[in-house]
Amino acid sequence: MAAAFAGAVPGGCAGTNNGNGGAAGENGAAGGNGAGGDKTGAGGATGGTAGSGGSTPGTGGGSPPGTGGAATGSGGGVGAGGRSGTGGAGAGGAAATGGSSGGGTGGNGGNGGNGGSTGGNGPEVWVSPTGSDTNAGTQAAPFLTIQHAQGAITAGGTIWVMAGTYQYDRTVNLSLAGSANNVTRLWAVPGGARPVLDFSQQARNVSSNRGFTVPGSYWHLKGFEVKNAGDNCINISGSNNTVEWVEADGCDDTGIQITASGSGTGSNNLILNCDAHDNFDTATGGENADGIDAKLNIGPGNILRGCRSWNNADDGYDLFGVTQVVTIDGCWAIANGQTSTGMKGANSDGNGFKLGGNGVPAVHVVTRSFAVGNVKCGYTLNNNTATPDVSDSGALANNPDTCSITIRNRVTITMTAAQAIAAQRDANGNLPAVQ
């Protein structure tokens, strides 16, 4: 961090009359923002040294001379800590210059830079496809399995998933219970290739053979692919969890499913910027393998946002039997009803957004979402005894676009299914604008 410099303070000029008042000191330049890093960061360094006010008095005339600048410039503030990576060091502002003759006050120094956002507060461990659970779990000597890594941290810790393909034959059960101030992170290491967690060694058509189960709370999963599990890729029965920028594909049931294990469970979960595709359940003839679900007796507050679901055997999104309101915002449902290789079961439905079922009421909210090229309905009520609120959304080339659903402020789109599937997310995982 560059040090701030003290202001230069010239004396006042002589005069026949009273000395002129000093010019006001210049403000210090603002401190630069701290750069975010890749791990939990310390706060930014303290800002720059305070600038000195003017000191030399002006040479007065017959009356008293002008005085130097009065106040000194203050240093920059302390930079805040970061969620990911090392918080940036905040650069303090340049010191203020004092007044040239009497009366002026010194300017204030700039503020210190800010670090990244707040985040994981606990210990950190690493896993790698070439690691071993007998290792220390450091970046240089990582563990092999996520399950073992979980036992080495406490709530609020971080498990860093290094690039490569992991071959797992058993379910990873994320059971730690955290809090709003102790979110446990399972994150791909930023900047590298997306890690792949392959569960193809599991037996298919076995309901307990899921890739991940999440009965815990305040977990944040981010940045990897889960594939080929014998049931769900990811099954969430806990509350206050986030699954972000995860790809779930090739599993023998729904890709990502929020469910309930008891009263009040499965609440306040966020599925953010995720992709789910090519999930197919052989045992039930394609009846259950959706892309992303929030179904059955889940609690309130679940949100699906910025997600994309395509070529799943059954539906894109399924809210079957839910009495609590689920919010779907900015999601796409594409070509559901068969896989990308043409696999279609005898019981495959092929709806884009299935917004109910089992004859129970829930006014689900769907906004800014799009259904393209699904085998059956783009949006369907599906025996919901209430009327979901679908607005600012669009549909194209479904069969038909809506089934007992009205879209308020319907948006016209031209994007084909192939274009929607091929669309690239940005560096933060966000989908592009719909055409």
Side-chain angles (χ1 to χ4, degrees), residues 57-409:
T59 304
S63 297
T67 60
T72 62
S74 58
V78 177
R83 174 202 284 237
S84 64
T86 304
T97 56
S100 60
S101 53
T105 59
N108 294 324
N111 293 324
N114 295 321
S117 58
T118 58
N121 302 314
E124 297 179 319
V125 295
W126 279 257
V127 294
S128 166
T130 59
S132 170
D133 287 346
T134 61
N135 284 345
T138 62
Q139 188 171 10
F143 295 133
L144 172 62
T145 68
I146 293 168
Q147 194 68 59
H148 184 82
Q150 179 184 209
I153 63 170
T154 55
T158 299
I159 301 171
W160 293 106
V161 184
M162 302 172 78
T165 298
Y166 297 73
Q167 299 289 343
Y168 287 166
D169 62 358
R170 62 195 64 188
T171 300
V172 178
N173 183 50
L174 302 180
S175 58
L176 279 178
S179 67
N181 294 323
N182 284 288
V183 175
T184 307
R185 301 185 301 181
L186 178 64
W187 281 18
V189 175
R194 177 183 288 264
V196 178
L197 307 176
D198 189 347
F199 291 86
S200 59
Q201 295 179 24
Q202 291 181 335
R204 305 285 286 189
N205 307 322
V206 178
S207 61
S208 60
N209 280 351
R210 290 159 174 159
F212 283 83
T213 53
V214 190
S217 60
Y218 292 97
W219 277 88
H220 188 174
L221 284 61
K222 184 177 180 181
F224 48 82
E225 179 181 1
V226 182
K227 63 190 300 182
N228 299 330
D231 194 76
N232 300 134
C233 294
I234 302 174
N235 181 286
I236 303 164
S237 58
S239 299
N240 300 295
N241 299 293
T242 298
V243 180
E244 180 181 0
W245 207 353
V246 167
E247 183 176 0
D249 61 285
C251 293
D252 207 72
D253 206 307
T254 294
I256 302 172
Q257 180 171 323
I258 302 171
T259 187
S261 60
S263 177
T265 61
S267 303
N268 303 313
N269 296 292
L270 171 63
I271 312 301
L272 176 64
N273 292 349
C274 290
D275 287 337
H277 62 94
D278 291 289
N279 296 292
F280 186 94
D281 53 323
T282 306
T284 58
E287 175 66 24
N288 292 324
D290 306 309
I292 301 174
D293 290 353
K295 63 196 305 184
L296 303 174
N297 298 316
I298 59 175
N302 292 295
I303 299 173
L304 316 179
R305 175 168 290 136
C307 294
R308 182 171 48 175
S309 180
W310 74 89
N311 282 132
N312 296 288
D314 200 33
D315 305 308
Y317 303 84
D318 191 347
L319 309 185
F320 183 88
V322 178
T323 58
Q324 300 287 345
V325 172
V326 175
T327 298
I328 300 177
D329 176 51
C331 292
W332 301 1
I334 313 151
N336 291 289
Q338 63 182 19
T339 69
S340 58
T341 60
M343 291 177 61
K344 181 177 181 179
N347 299 316
S348 294
D349 288 338
N351 300 294
F353 296 89
K354 183 181 283 183
L355 302 179
N358 210 28
V360 296
V363 184
H364 301 303
V365 176
V366 181
T367 56
R368 303 184 309 125
S369 296
F370 302 91
V372 181
N374 294 285
V375 171
K376 291 187 180 176
C377 305
Y379 303 81
T380 180
L381 187 65
N382 196 48
N383 299 316
N384 189 337
T385 57
T387 302
D389 183 7
V390 182
S391 66
D392 303 299
S393 298
L396 179 68
N398 304 283
N399 189 31
D401 284 344
T402 60
C403 297
S404 303
I405 290 284
T406 299
I407 302 175
R408 293 187 296 108
N409 304 322

